[in-house]
mmCIF file of all heavy atoms in Angstrom:
data_model
loop_
_atom_site.group_PDB
_atom_site.id
_atom_site.type_symbol
_atom_site.label_atom_id
_atom_site.label_comp_id
_atom_site.label_asym_id
_atom_site.label_seq_id
_atom_site.Cartn_x
_atom_site.Cartn_y
_atom_site.Cartn_z
ATOM 1 N N PHE A 1505 -10.389 -108.475 -58.978
ATOM 2 C CA PHE A 1505 -10.008 -107.564 -60.057
ATOM 3 C C PHE A 1505 -8.864 -106.689 -59.574
ATOM 4 O O PHE A 1505 -8.823 -106.278 -58.419
ATOM 5 C CB PHE A 1505 -11.189 -106.664 -60.467
ATOM 6 C CG PHE A 1505 -12.218 -107.332 -61.332
ATOM 7 C CD1 PHE A 1505 -13.159 -108.194 -60.778
ATOM 8 C CD2 PHE A 1505 -12.261 -107.099 -62.699
ATOM 9 C CE1 PHE A 1505 -14.118 -108.810 -61.575
ATOM 10 C CE2 PHE A 1505 -13.206 -107.705 -63.507
ATOM 11 C CZ PHE A 1505 -14.129 -108.567 -62.940
ATOM 12 N N TYR A 1506 -7.903 -106.410 -60.488
ATOM 13 C CA TYR A 1506 -6.830 -105.491 -60.151
ATOM 14 C C TYR A 1506 -7.384 -104.086 -59.923
ATOM 15 O O TYR A 1506 -8.498 -103.758 -60.331
ATOM 16 C CB TYR A 1506 -5.802 -105.429 -61.276
ATOM 17 C CG TYR A 1506 -4.962 -106.671 -61.436
ATOM 18 C CD1 TYR A 1506 -5.002 -107.402 -62.625
ATOM 19 C CD2 TYR A 1506 -4.113 -107.103 -60.416
ATOM 20 C CE1 TYR A 1506 -4.219 -108.534 -62.792
ATOM 21 C CE2 TYR A 1506 -3.336 -108.232 -60.575
ATOM 22 C CZ TYR A 1506 -3.390 -108.951 -61.761
ATOM 23 O OH TYR A 1506 -2.625 -110.074 -61.933
ATOM 24 N N ALA A 1507 -6.557 -103.248 -59.300
ATOM 25 C CA ALA A 1507 -6.963 -101.864 -59.041
ATOM 26 C C ALA A 1507 -7.245 -101.103 -60.324
ATOM 27 O O ALA A 1507 -8.009 -100.125 -60.313
ATOM 28 C CB ALA A 1507 -5.873 -101.149 -58.240
ATOM 29 N N ASP A 1508 -6.647 -101.524 -61.459
ATOM 30 C CA ASP A 1508 -6.895 -100.829 -62.725
ATOM 31 C C ASP A 1508 -8.082 -101.406 -63.489
ATOM 32 O O ASP A 1508 -8.333 -101.031 -64.634
ATOM 33 C CB ASP A 1508 -5.638 -100.834 -63.613
ATOM 34 C CG ASP A 1508 -5.087 -102.236 -63.876
ATOM 35 O OD1 ASP A 1508 -5.846 -103.219 -63.731
ATOM 36 O OD2 ASP A 1508 -3.904 -102.354 -64.227
ATOM 37 N N GLY A 1509 -8.827 -102.321 -62.879
ATOM 38 C CA GLY A 1509 -10.067 -102.808 -63.467
ATOM 39 C C GLY A 1509 -9.984 -104.158 -64.135
ATOM 40 O O GLY A 1509 -11.007 -104.697 -64.557
ATOM 41 N N TRP A 1510 -8.788 -104.755 -64.227
ATOM 42 C CA TRP A 1510 -8.640 -106.004 -64.960
ATOM 43 C C TRP A 1510 -8.917 -107.227 -64.096
ATOM 44 O O TRP A 1510 -8.457 -107.317 -62.960
ATOM 45 C CB TRP A 1510 -7.230 -106.123 -65.548
ATOM 46 C CG TRP A 1510 -7.170 -105.562 -66.925
ATOM 47 C CD1 TRP A 1510 -6.683 -104.352 -67.304
ATOM 48 C CD2 TRP A 1510 -7.660 -106.191 -68.109
ATOM 49 N NE1 TRP A 1510 -6.837 -104.178 -68.651
ATOM 50 C CE2 TRP A 1510 -7.425 -105.289 -69.175
ATOM 51 C CE3 TRP A 1510 -8.267 -107.411 -68.381
ATOM 52 C CZ2 TRP A 1510 -7.777 -105.572 -70.483
ATOM 53 C CZ3 TRP A 1510 -8.621 -107.697 -69.685
ATOM 54 C CH2 TRP A 1510 -8.371 -106.788 -70.718
ATOM 55 N N TRP A 1511 -9.682 -108.190 -64.647
ATOM 56 C CA TRP A 1511 -9.864 -109.493 -64.021
ATOM 57 C C TRP A 1511 -8.489 -110.134 -63.838
ATOM 58 O O TRP A 1511 -7.640 -110.072 -64.725
ATOM 59 C CB TRP A 1511 -10.769 -110.356 -64.900
ATOM 60 C CG TRP A 1511 -10.894 -111.793 -64.512
ATOM 61 C CD1 TRP A 1511 -10.504 -112.869 -65.264
ATOM 62 C CD2 TRP A 1511 -11.468 -112.325 -63.319
ATOM 63 N NE1 TRP A 1511 -10.800 -114.037 -64.598
ATOM 64 C CE2 TRP A 1511 -11.390 -113.734 -63.392
ATOM 65 C CE3 TRP A 1511 -12.040 -111.754 -62.181
ATOM 66 C CZ2 TRP A 1511 -11.860 -114.576 -62.383
ATOM 67 C CZ3 TRP A 1511 -12.504 -112.587 -61.177
ATOM 68 C CH2 TRP A 1511 -12.413 -113.969 -61.285
ATOM 69 N N HIS A 1512 -8.264 -110.770 -62.682
ATOM 70 C CA HIS A 1512 -6.910 -111.141 -62.291
ATOM 71 C C HIS A 1512 -6.244 -112.181 -63.203
ATOM 72 O O HIS A 1512 -5.025 -112.287 -63.217
ATOM 73 C CB HIS A 1512 -6.910 -111.672 -60.854
ATOM 74 C CG HIS A 1512 -7.481 -113.067 -60.724
ATOM 75 N ND1 HIS A 1512 -8.836 -113.304 -60.685
ATOM 76 C CD2 HIS A 1512 -6.889 -114.271 -60.652
ATOM 77 C CE1 HIS A 1512 -9.053 -114.601 -60.582
ATOM 78 N NE2 HIS A 1512 -7.885 -115.220 -60.558
ATOM 79 N N GLU A 1513 -7.027 -112.947 -63.975
ATOM 80 C CA GLU A 1513 -6.412 -113.919 -64.876
ATOM 81 C C GLU A 1513 -5.749 -113.260 -66.081
ATOM 82 O O GLU A 1513 -4.988 -113.910 -66.802
ATOM 83 C CB GLU A 1513 -7.450 -114.939 -65.342
ATOM 84 C CG GLU A 1513 -7.891 -115.876 -64.235
ATOM 85 C CD GLU A 1513 -8.952 -116.866 -64.692
ATOM 86 O OE1 GLU A 1513 -9.944 -116.454 -65.311
ATOM 87 O OE2 GLU A 1513 -8.777 -118.060 -64.410
ATOM 88 N N GLY A 1514 -6.052 -111.991 -66.303
ATOM 89 C CA GLY A 1514 -5.363 -111.260 -67.359
ATOM 90 C C GLY A 1514 -5.714 -111.703 -68.763
ATOM 91 O O GLY A 1514 -4.883 -111.649 -69.657
ATOM 92 N N THR A 1515 -6.943 -112.134 -68.963
ATOM 93 C CA THR A 1515 -7.373 -112.646 -70.253
ATOM 94 C C THR A 1515 -8.646 -111.932 -70.680
ATOM 95 O O THR A 1515 -9.667 -112.059 -70.000
ATOM 96 C CB THR A 1515 -7.638 -114.166 -70.167
ATOM 97 O OG1 THR A 1515 -6.469 -114.806 -69.663
ATOM 98 C CG2 THR A 1515 -7.978 -114.732 -71.517
ATOM 99 N N PRO A 1516 -8.640 -111.171 -71.779
ATOM 100 C CA PRO A 1516 -9.842 -110.433 -72.174
ATOM 101 C C PRO A 1516 -11.102 -111.289 -72.289
ATOM 102 O O PRO A 1516 -12.180 -110.865 -71.887
ATOM 103 C CB PRO A 1516 -9.445 -109.832 -73.525
ATOM 104 C CG PRO A 1516 -7.971 -109.661 -73.430
ATOM 105 C CD PRO A 1516 -7.484 -110.848 -72.640
#
Side-chain angles (χ1 to χ4, degrees):
F1505 282 78
Y1506 289 119
D1508 55 21
W1510 269 101
W1511 171 243
H1512 75 279
E1513 290 178 311
T1515 305

